[in-house]
Structure formats: structure tokens, C-alpha cells
Amino acid sequence: MADAKNIEILISQLADFQTRHIARKEIEAMGEEVADCLLPLLTDSTLAENMRWSALSLFVAWKYAPATEAILEVARTDRGLHSEAFRALERITGLTIGEDADEWEKALADPASYVAQGAVEKLFEEGDEKEE
């Protein structure tokens, strides 16, 4: 695990526009082993939005699926990060659902079934088109 003191310093630097880019790159290089340190940033609405956006961008860079529940919560509750959170869900999961939080909740509950259901529905749609 990365040095806890170092990660705390880097996380605090995410709030400052002068240090954010370098701090984000250093955290990204540490890998997803430090992701648990960033999860609380996402849902803490007392933090600066740019700091929370930085955490969101790191989860996307790592394609860190365990963060999807917290990201969905941000999409539901945070007007400032709403759209960016939905885009993050799409990038992490590979699903294209848009900005429908309820649909995302279904997809995240059982991704394999959600994808399979979509494939079946697409086959039925294609069959209906051929009959016309």
C-alpha cells in the first residue's frame, strides 16, 4: 500500500488548481490500491466540487467498478457532478444507459442479466422490423 501520509497530502492537493493535475497523476500512478482512500471524497458534499471531480476521474482512469454505487449516488444527488457521474458510469461499465438513475440501479445490481435482457430485447426489435 502506498504511504498513507503521502496519499493524504496528495488528496489535499486535489483541491488546489495549482497542484491538482500533478497530484491526480501521482495518485493515478499508485493504482487502484489507493481507491478506498478516495471513495469518501465522492459523497462528501462539503468538499470542493473540483476535488470530487478529480476523485471521479481517477475511478474512471482505473475503471474501478467498486466505486459505481457511490458514483450513482453522486449522479442522483449532486447537480454539479450529475452528468459527469453518469459519463463515469458509462466509461467504467461499458454500458450506454444515459442519465436514467433508476435504469443504472437495475444495471449495476446485476450487470450480466441487464446486458442479456438488452440483447434479447434487441433481437425482438429486429424481428419486428423484418416482419414489416
Side-chain angles (χ1 to χ4, degrees):
M1 175 83 175
D3 179 339
K5 186 169 180 78
N6 188 35
I7 189 66
E8 286 179 28
I9 291 169
L10 290 170
I11 287 172
S12 70
Q13 291 174 348
L14 293 174
D16 185 337
F17 78 95
Q18 294 178 330
T19 57
R20 180 176 28 257
H21 178 74
I22 292 170
R24 195 172 63 239
K25 290 296 179 188
E26 286 186 35
I27 294 170
E28 184 177 345
M30 291 177 179
E32 61 182 54
E33 72 178 42
V34 297
D36 286 345
C37 298
L38 297 171
L39 272 172
L41 300 180
L42 275 182
T43 55
D44 186 347
S45 61
T46 65
L47 297 175
E49 185 176 296
N50 56 11
M51 186 176 196
R52 298 169 67 224
W53 175 87
S54 292
L56 188 60
S57 70
L58 286 162
F59 294 129
V60 170
W62 297 320
K63 294 202 180 295
Y64 190 66
T68 56
E69 187 175 315
I71 294 170
L72 179 58
E73 181 63 24
V74 169
R76 285 185 189 274
T77 61
D78 189 309
R79 289 288 123 210
L81 292 174
H82 172 84
S83 292
E84 190 60 33
F86 281 119
R87 281 192 293 276
L89 288 170
E90 289 183 346
R91 291 183 196 129
I92 291 169
T93 65
L95 298 172
T96 305
I97 297 175
E99 295 190 3
D100 184 335
D102 293 334
E103 202 63 24
W104 272 108
E105 188 171 347
K106 290 179 203 171
L108 294 174
D110 189 354
S113 292
Y114 187 85
V115 170
Q117 178 186 0
V120 168
E121 288 174 1
K122 187 174 182 178
L123 284 174
F124 280 116
E125 288 172 7
E126 289 172 0
D128 288 344
E129 289 173 6
K130 288 180 184 177
E131 288 178 14
E132 293 177 2

